[in-house]
């Protein structure tokens, strides 16, 4: 029977169980939060991003979640520096051309500040003279730092990135650093 773990990855945590690259100055990893033998991450979430990660004990499901051929939607709440205009939002919706090629179209909506929103440690920088805004972005591919690169491409640098949904699985009210088992039904 396939099992899935939903994990709310905090900011600054690596999306792997070991950190072999920092001899003498270890960084937080999944092993500091999840003690469930046989589970492996289904995808990545950058150290400076937070939110939903999936782990599974089934290699087939792990591949299905991460392989872009299946076009599993991933939804993010993104705090950006600046005020999005219609042109920037349209560019993101249609797809932008990054150094590694064009992105697929994305679903984009400007939203109010999410509520409730847990504090990030360290906090996002605040500049009195530069406004910020929140976007809800859904993509169906998963390139390295893709959402950050997309928003930067249209002049909206990313300040905070929170993944809230992968396919059928949602972050909901899972607190940072906590996890729970979930169903894999419907795949």
């Amino acid at each position: 029977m396939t099992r899935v773990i939903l994990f709310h990855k905090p900011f600054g945590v690596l999306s792997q169980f070991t950190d072999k690259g920092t001899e003498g100055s270890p960084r937080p990893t999944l092993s500091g939060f999840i003690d469930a033998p046989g589970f492996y991450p289904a995808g990545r979430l950058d150290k400076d991003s937070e939110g939903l990660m999936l782990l599974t004990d089934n290699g087939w499901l792990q591949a299905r979640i991460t392989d872009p051929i299946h076009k599993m939607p991933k939804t993010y709440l993104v705090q950006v520096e600046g005020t999005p205009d219609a042109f920037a939002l349209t560019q993101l919706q249609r797809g932008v051309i990054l150094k590694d090629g064009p992105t697929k179209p994305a679903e984009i909506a400007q939203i109010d500040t999410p509520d409730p929103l847990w504090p990030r440690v360290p906090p996002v920088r605040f500049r009195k003279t530069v406004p910020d805004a929140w976007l809800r972005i859904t993509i169906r591919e998963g390139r390295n730092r893709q959402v950050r690169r997309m928003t930067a491409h249209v002049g909206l640098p990313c300040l905070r990135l929170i993944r809230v949904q992968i396919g059928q699985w949602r972050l909901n009210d899972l607190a940072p650093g906590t996890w729970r088992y979930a169903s894999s039904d419907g795949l």
Side-chain angles (χ1 to χ4, degrees):
M1 179 178 188
T2 297
R3 297 178 301 161
V4 174
I5 288 177
L6 306 183
F7 174 56
H8 185 155
K9 187 188 91 58
F11 179 86
V13 173
L14 298 178
S15 59
Q16 57 200 39
F17 281 98
T18 59
D19 181 16
K20 296 178 181 172
T22 57
E23 186 75 29
S25 60
R27 298 175 290 185
T29 65
L30 299 178
S31 62
F33 299 90
I34 300 170
D35 183 19
F39 280 85
Y40 300 94
R44 304 177 309 280
L45 194 54
D46 297 327
K47 182 180 99 153
D48 51 356
S49 299
E50 53 195 305
L52 182 62
M53 276 194 70
L54 299 179
L55 295 92
T56 181
D57 60 355
N58 181 295
W60 174 87
L61 181 57
Q62 184 182 27
R64 183 168 177 79
I65 292 167
T66 58
D67 192 330
I69 199 167
H70 298 294
K71 297 178 178 58
M72 188 166 290
K74 298 166 192 75
T75 301
Y76 301 83
L77 302 181
V78 186
Q79 184 180 18
V80 295
E81 186 174 86
T83 304
D85 59 18
F87 181 70
L89 296 177
T90 299
Q91 281 184 292
L92 292 170
Q93 285 172 337
R94 292 183 178 165
V96 297
I97 299 179
L98 302 175
K99 287 181 182 179
D100 55 351
T103 65
K104 296 195 181 316
E107 296 170 29
I108 308 290
Q110 187 168 351
I111 61 172
D112 293 331
T113 301
D115 184 34
L117 187 63
W118 57 93
R120 193 187 86 176
V121 179
V124 172
R125 74 176 186 266
F126 174 74
R127 294 170 40 186
K128 290 181 184 179
T129 59
V130 180
D132 62 64
W134 283 90
L135 302 174
R136 177 183 300 273
I137 300 178
T138 301
I139 61 173
R140 287 177 168 73
E141 53 189 340
R143 299 185 204 174
N144 187 37
R145 301 178 71 79
Q146 180 176 340
V147 172
R148 290 177 185 280
R149 293 189 298 139
M150 288 172 66
T151 59
H153 182 82
V154 298
L156 300 166
C158 180
L159 299 172
R160 188 172 184 186
L161 188 131
I162 304 166
R163 185 163 53 200
V164 294
Q165 185 171 352
I166 301 170
Q168 69 187 22
W169 298 282
R170 295 175 181 265
L171 184 62
N172 292 335
D173 58 356
L174 198 59
T178 63
W179 62 275
R180 66 176 174 82
Y181 290 107
S183 170
S184 63
D185 294 344
L187 291 178

